[in-house]
Amino acid sequence: MSAAFADVSKIKFEGPQSKNPLAFRHYNPEEKIEGKSMRDHFRFSVAYWHTFRGNGGDPFGPGTMHRPWESGTDDVANACNRARVGFEFMEKLGAPYYCFHDRDVAPEGKTLSESHKNLDAVAKVLKEEQQRTGIKLLWGTANLFSNPRYMHGAATSCNADAFAYAAAQVKKALEVTKELGGEGYTFWGGREGYQCLYNTDMKREVDHLAKFMHMAVDYAKQIGFTGQFYFEPKPKEPTKHQYDYDTAACVNFLRANGLQDHIKMNIEANHATLAGHSMHHELEYAAMQGFLGSIDANYGDLMLGWDTDQFPTDVYLTTQIMLVLLKYGGFTTGGLNFDAKVRRESFEPVDLFYAHIGGMDAFAHGLKIAAAIRADGRLKKMVEERYSSWDSGVGAEIEAGKHSFASLEKYMLEKGEITANKSGRQELFENIVNTYF
Ligand code: XUL
Ligand code: CO
């Protein structure tokens, strides 16, 4: 096979002074920060669906992407060739992982069994390429939203047959993920939500989603798939009310349905902002509850109300993400999957390199800044000082469970008024953060 990216050689780290657009200025996989190599901090992953299947189409016009390796026929031969091109890209980029949906890597057949066969044929190539390059599968997932059969949802459809078809699809996707040594499996709701409550039995739908996830967990156990399951929140799009709205809603769903020991969160930056949260908030919320799993790294244009899935270049965003990751000890099973696509106008193959290099460098830059903030310790000390009323006296006693409303009433009647509040100093905190950039 002739190289699809013949003009690009392996991307190297050249340091912050480099002017080479096809080099890393910050991401140096071997460099250690807080005792761990950058490679292990990030566990970067390429999203197959955007990078190798994105064609640049939008509601106003067709695809624009120039992809000379595509034959133009949606068959298994083209899919196998594309898989080899994908691995050439990932190898040159130096990404240690990738993620896929079943229908991204292999075409859907006319029947379920033909679809299974197509997936097996492409998985064979993926396995060969994984063995050739050492690149691994971070997680797999199933596309339960594109085919019109899922118009009402998959696990939450009003049509029980749609649930059954989705079950068959996820069963197969789990088998293939296992076969490829996948380290995880992600549930993103797709069309699991509703548009109008008048025609919707929400309780029944949410119960079915829980049943579906339990079946997946049971089947994983049955076949010996030991990868981590993830649940990816998104508040809207395609449906108006998605059941996986944000981390808090997902964690509540998992706990309410006895799934908390099997499923962690996969948190996406653009989905966080669509929910009216910052990524910083979503990550901290998941981590503090013990649900930090994996990250879909991207950025959403704050002036647009949809999932723009841009490559992350905002170093404030990457610094905040790395602050949370460092605070909670980093990934155990997850990684940073670039669930991001090049703009419709960035149609040349080399743009795929610029996009990923920029994202990886933004994270490496953010990691260095986050580590510097932590090493200095000033912010941490200021936060501790802000909460110092809880370290002794009545605060420590409340935390230790030594008080009731009655005893606190007695305390306050004696004291009369609270100890004077201190300034929150938000501006100073923000100024100090800026000194590390
Ligand atoms: C959709 C999205 C998905 C999931 C995987 O917004 O983020 O690509 O990451 O199904
Ligand atoms: Co995603």
Side-chain angles (χ1 to χ4, degrees):
M1 190 188 79
S2 65
F5 303 97
D7 298 341
V8 181
S9 31
K10 174 111 180 107
I11 309 298
K12 294 201 193 83
F13 169 71
E14 292 184 3
Q17 309 314 323
S18 174
K19 297 258 189 319
N20 177 1
L22 287 171
F24 294 118
R25 296 169 62 248
H26 294 283
Y27 179 60
N28 179 5
E30 312 308 332
E31 187 177 333
K32 290 208 162 155
I33 306 270
E34 295 199 8
K36 190 154 109 181
S37 73
M38 284 200 186
R39 182 187 287 105
D40 291 343
H41 272 291
F42 300 124
R43 296 158 57 87
F44 283 126
S45 157
V46 171
Y48 204 96
W49 52 98
H50 285 311
T51 297
F52 308 118
R53 301 311 310 273
N55 67 7
D58 72 10
F60 300 93
T64 55
M65 295 297 155
H66 178 55
R67 301 289 183 251
W69 55 86
E70 291 286 334
S71 72
T73 310
D74 191 19
D75 59 10
V76 171
N78 187 31
C80 290
N81 182 56
R82 179 193 299 125
R84 296 198 195 278
V85 169
F87 275 83
E88 182 200 333
F89 173 81
M90 295 189 280
E91 201 180 11
K92 285 184 169 167
L93 180 68
Y97 287 98
Y98 72 110
C99 294
F100 70 82
H101 296 85
D102 50 0
R103 301 296 182 250
D104 305 318
V105 289
E108 176 142 20
K110 281 192 217 72
T111 60
L112 180 61
S113 71
E114 196 182 307
S115 298
H116 284 356
K117 258 208 282 195
N118 291 352
L119 186 53
D120 283 335
V122 183
K124 211 168 141 250
V125 177
L126 294 171
K127 193 170 181 178
E128 277 169 28
E129 289 294 298
Q130 285 185 210
Q131 281 162 352
R132 181 183 69 74
T133 59
I135 293 168
K136 296 188 275 186
L137 177 61
L138 187 65
W139 49 260
T141 187
N143 178 331
L144 306 177
F145 43 89
S146 294
N147 191 292
R149 79 173 64 88
Y150 297 126
M151 64 171 74
H152 300 297
T156 66
S157 177
C158 49
N159 183 343
D161 272 359
F163 183 106
Y165 205 104
Q169 213 181 308
V170 171
K171 174 179 177 288
K172 182 68 185 173
L174 281 169
E175 290 161 9
V176 171
T177 299
K178 177 178 185 257
E179 170 66 17
L180 295 175
E183 297 180 21
Y185 185 91
T186 291
F187 293 107
W188 168 60
R191 296 182 190 276
E192 313 296 27
Y194 69 93
Q195 310 282 18
C196 167
L197 207 42
Y198 291 138
N199 72 359
T200 301
D201 186 338
M202 178 152 61
K203 164 117 181 42
R204 214 164 178 185
E205 293 200 0
V206 174
D207 284 352
H208 293 166
L209 183 59
K211 202 174 271 304
F212 193 88
M213 287 193 185
H214 272 292
M215 285 184 189
V217 167
D218 290 348
Y219 189 65
K221 209 166 156 198
Q222 195 183 318
I223 63 172
F225 171 65
T226 54
Q228 175 65 49
F229 280 103
Y230 305 111
F231 194 13
E232 181 175 326
K234 182 173 183 179
K236 52 192 165 199
E237 197 198 34
T239 71
K240 181 172 168 187
H241 301 276
Q242 298 268 137
Y243 295 133
D244 47 7
Y245 191 97
D246 63 358
T247 301
C250 289
V251 167
N252 175 62
F253 169 86
L254 295 175
R255 286 206 178 115
N257 290 289
L259 287 157
Q260 66 275 12
D261 296 335
H262 308 289
I263 304 182
K264 289 197 161 96
M265 301 306 303
N266 178 41
I267 301 178
E268 176 164 331
N270 203 158
H271 297 177
T273 47
L274 286 179
H277 299 307
S278 64
M279 179 65 167
H280 201 179
H281 167 88
E282 283 290 86
L283 273 185
E284 178 73 33
Y285 195 91
M288 77 182 192
Q289 308 251 8
F291 283 81
L292 180 63
S294 200
I295 289 178
D296 268 7
N298 61 16
Y299 172 78
D301 191 311
L302 297 178
M303 284 188 254
L304 301 175
W306 65 89
D307 201 6
T308 61
D309 282 337
Q310 288 164 241
F311 276 85
T313 53
D314 180 340
V315 182
Y316 281 91
L317 169 69
T318 59
T319 299
Q320 290 168 357
I321 292 173
M322 295 318 297
L323 274 173
V324 178
L325 277 175
L326 291 175
K327 178 172 164 188
Y328 289 95
F331 291 122
T332 45
T333 56
L336 279 162
N337 172 50
F338 286 110
D339 194 354
K341 58 189 181 207
V342 289
R343 299 303 84 192
R344 188 170 190 263
E345 302 81 1
S346 307
F347 61 88
E348 294 177 16
V350 71
D351 290 308
L352 295 173
F353 279 99
Y354 296 143
H356 285 86
I357 290 169
M360 290 159 86
D361 259 352
F363 270 99
H365 197 175
L367 171 62
K368 289 185 211 166
I369 293 167
I373 290 173
R374 284 160 53 83
D376 187 33
R378 242 188 318 165
L379 281 189
K380 186 164 179 272
K381 250 182 93 199
M382 284 165 65
V383 174
E384 280 164 7
E385 169 57 26
R386 191 160 180 247
Y387 289 85
S388 59
S389 71
W390 292 91
D391 295 334
S392 60
V394 73
E397 288 163 17
I398 295 171
E399 283 194 351
K402 292 185 183 146
H403 274 287
S404 64
F405 271 10
S407 68
L408 289 174
E409 183 191 45
K410 182 164 174 282
Y411 166 79
M412 222 56 251
L413 284 171
E414 276 162 23
K415 187 159 181 178
E417 190 45 85
I418 74 163
T419 307
N421 272 319
K422 292 182 196 150
S423 167
R425 301 244 190 276
Q426 180 177 330
E427 297 78 4
L428 176 62
F429 273 80
E430 288 167 345
N431 294 351
I432 291 174
V433 167
N434 271 353
T435 63
Y436 303 96
F437 276 76

